[in-house]
Amino acid sequence: MTEIPPAILPPETFQRRLLDWFDVHGRHDLPWQQQRTPYRVWVSEIMLQQTQVTTVIPYFERFMARFPDVAALAGAEQDEVLHLWTGLGYYARGRNLHKAARVVMDEHGGAFPVHSLEAMAALPGIGRSTAGAIIAQSTGQRAVILDGNVKRVLTRLHGVEGWPGRPAVERRLWALAEHYTPHQRVVDFTQAIMDLGATLCRRGQPDCGRCPFEADCVANARGEQKRFPESKPRKATPTRETLMLLLQDEHGRVLLQQRPSSGLWGGLWSLPQFDDMASLKAWRDQHAAGAELAACWPTFTHVFSHFRLQITPQPARVARRDSVAEGWHWYDPAEPSSIGLAAPVKGLLEALQPFTLSAPAGHADPD
């Protein structure tokens, strides 16, 4: 592996330039910057993982309205938490948020252990960088962060070769982050370096002409901004297929089942899924005898980070709900219940008004 270069700026110079830029161009009015507490900062940091600020803001505000503190979140049912998370994606974040709230209540007396980076990082869903961000942003204590925005800034500024997920590369980036993190104005510094990565040193179209480090940036000098940071070595993205059963009763309510707590859409409510029509019909014959299947709706694709899922909705209807086995949830699209729904399932449920068994043109009867 190519040797990773040392820091190219004294820490004082880096801090001064970054904070001067932040004072004029940084983001100072984000909702979680108001009434800054460990709880509010924590929720925002989890929501912001792999999600843009503009998307997070309305979710954060709804979440705070319902769960204003860690006790309220810990006392809630997981279904309600995931209901408010629906649409944000990466649902393990929501499940871990709920688990961590209960750990804070049960093991830390309702107070986040912001005195200890190790204790914060041990909470479900919180790693080293997120723990540092929560401590720095909520207390002003010096704590180093290395999220995706910071990695992008540092790899471009120093021309760091190699995928940042490789341990040797990540260690060097942590060393650079440690080198530049100040002991004063830590709240502003951590927000500033995240803002720089999010607003100027963007992944696709960096705005180098407005960057306070334009003259020193190795990637800019080489004209190779888009090469840094290097991407994870790609594997072929697999495609999976599934049939989703849209089974309605005589009143239009839809049969849902809760997914296992781990794995795809863990803990969310979904439509019954099947690998093929034979297994769907076998389930129908056992659990919903007499259900009438209509023509399948058009197949669509839902993209995950590691695979593509081709979903074919299979509408069906039962004459009476009591003909279906117990242990399921009947969801009324006209009066939605507050449960966590997988995003494509939510879209399908919204398309069920009015319900029709008429087959779309060109689709054959599955029976």
Side-chain angles (χ1 to χ4, degrees):
M1 175 181 156
T2 304
E3 182 181 353
I4 300 174
I8 63 174
L9 289 171
E12 297 80 6
T13 302
F14 184 91
Q15 295 157 14
R16 184 183 66 254
R17 287 195 206 167
L18 180 63
L19 290 169
D20 286 349
W21 171 84
F22 174 74
D23 288 340
V24 178
H25 302 289
R27 296 181 289 198
H28 303 274
D29 299 310
L30 298 172
W32 43 89
Q33 294 174 321
Q34 318 309 315
Q35 301 176 330
R36 207 185 295 256
T37 65
Y39 173 72
R40 288 171 62 86
V41 173
W42 165 60
V43 172
S44 71
E45 286 295 323
I46 301 302
M47 287 187 170
L48 286 165
Q49 291 172 355
Q50 305 184 66
T51 308
Q52 293 183 346
V53 166
T54 53
T55 300
V56 165
I57 287 174
Y59 281 91
F60 177 83
E61 291 176 336
R62 286 192 294 269
F63 206 88
M64 286 297 114
R66 173 58 188 89
F67 306 120
D69 53 40
V70 69
L73 178 56
E77 294 297 324
Q78 179 178 272
D79 266 347
E80 188 176 9
V81 176
L82 293 180
H83 172 67
L84 288 177
W85 203 273
T86 297
L88 264 180
Y90 301 98
Y91 291 94
R93 295 181 299 169
R95 295 194 300 273
N96 283 329
L97 199 78
H98 191 224
K99 291 177 185 176
R102 292 186 167 179
V103 172
V104 169
M105 294 301 298
D106 294 342
E107 299 181 15
H108 299 284
F112 283 85
V114 290
H115 60 280
S116 167
L117 181 68
E118 292 73 20
M120 283 297 300
L123 294 173
I126 299 181
R128 178 180 173 185
S129 181
T130 302
I134 296 167
I135 292 170
Q137 290 282 303
S138 66
T139 72
Q141 299 175 48
R142 185 181 187 275
V144 182
I145 66 169
L146 190 67
D147 72 350
N149 287 315
V150 179
K151 288 178 180 177
R152 192 160 56 253
V153 169
L154 295 179
T155 53
R156 284 175 172 167
L157 180 62
H158 296 85
V160 176
E161 304 281 350
W163 173 49
R166 295 180 61 179
V169 179
E170 187 174 39
R171 284 195 297 271
R172 182 54 186 153
L173 291 174
W174 274 111
L176 289 170
E178 175 73 32
H179 173 77
Y180 288 129
T181 300
H183 290 270
Q184 293 80 33
R185 291 193 67 184
V186 177
V187 173
D188 287 344
F189 178 87
T190 53
Q191 185 65 55
I193 196 166
M194 290 188 288
D195 280 2
L196 186 72
T199 64
L200 292 189
C201 198
R202 299 184 296 266
R203 180 180 292 107
Q205 295 293 331
D207 191 351
C208 299
R210 296 170 53 205
C211 178
F213 305 108
E214 178 187 17
D216 301 287
C217 179
V218 172
N220 180 58
R222 297 177 184 171
E224 295 182 337
Q225 296 93 325
K226 293 185 179 180
R227 190 165 76 82
F228 297 99
E230 291 188 16
S231 300
K232 181 179 181 179
R234 288 189 175 274
K235 298 179 180 178
T237 303
T239 297
R240 304 178 191 173
E241 299 179 358
T242 190
L243 283 164
M244 283 189 173
L245 179 62
L246 278 161
L247 180 63
Q248 289 190 285
D249 68 7
E250 67 274 25
H251 300 295
R253 290 168 292 203
V254 184
L255 188 72
L256 298 180
Q257 66 178 154
Q258 192 168 30
R259 303 282 301 179
S261 59
S262 60
L264 181 67
W265 294 321
L268 298 178
W269 289 88
S270 181
L271 298 163
Q273 290 181 235
F274 304 92
D275 292 335
D276 51 44
M277 188 60 71
S279 58
L280 185 151
K281 288 182 177 179
W283 182 93
R284 185 267 310 264
D285 295 342
Q286 180 179 357
H287 299 283
E292 178 186 0
L293 302 184
C296 289
W297 288 5
T299 298
F300 65 95
T301 300
H302 187 76
V303 180
F304 294 88
S305 59
H306 54 296
F307 73 98
R308 298 163 62 88
L309 183 63
Q310 292 187 334
I311 299 170
T312 301
Q314 171 58 72
R317 173 166 282 184
V318 289
R320 300 189 328 277
R321 187 169 66 172
D322 59 13
S323 64
V324 178
E326 295 292 330
W328 303 80
H329 176 74
W330 288 94
Y331 180 92
D332 188 350
E335 297 182 6
S337 47
S338 296
I339 58 176
L341 294 168
V345 172
K346 181 180 180 184
L348 288 171
L349 293 173
E350 291 171 349
L352 275 173
Q353 299 179 21
F355 178 79
T356 177
L357 285 176
S358 300
H363 289 263
D365 188 330
D367 286 325

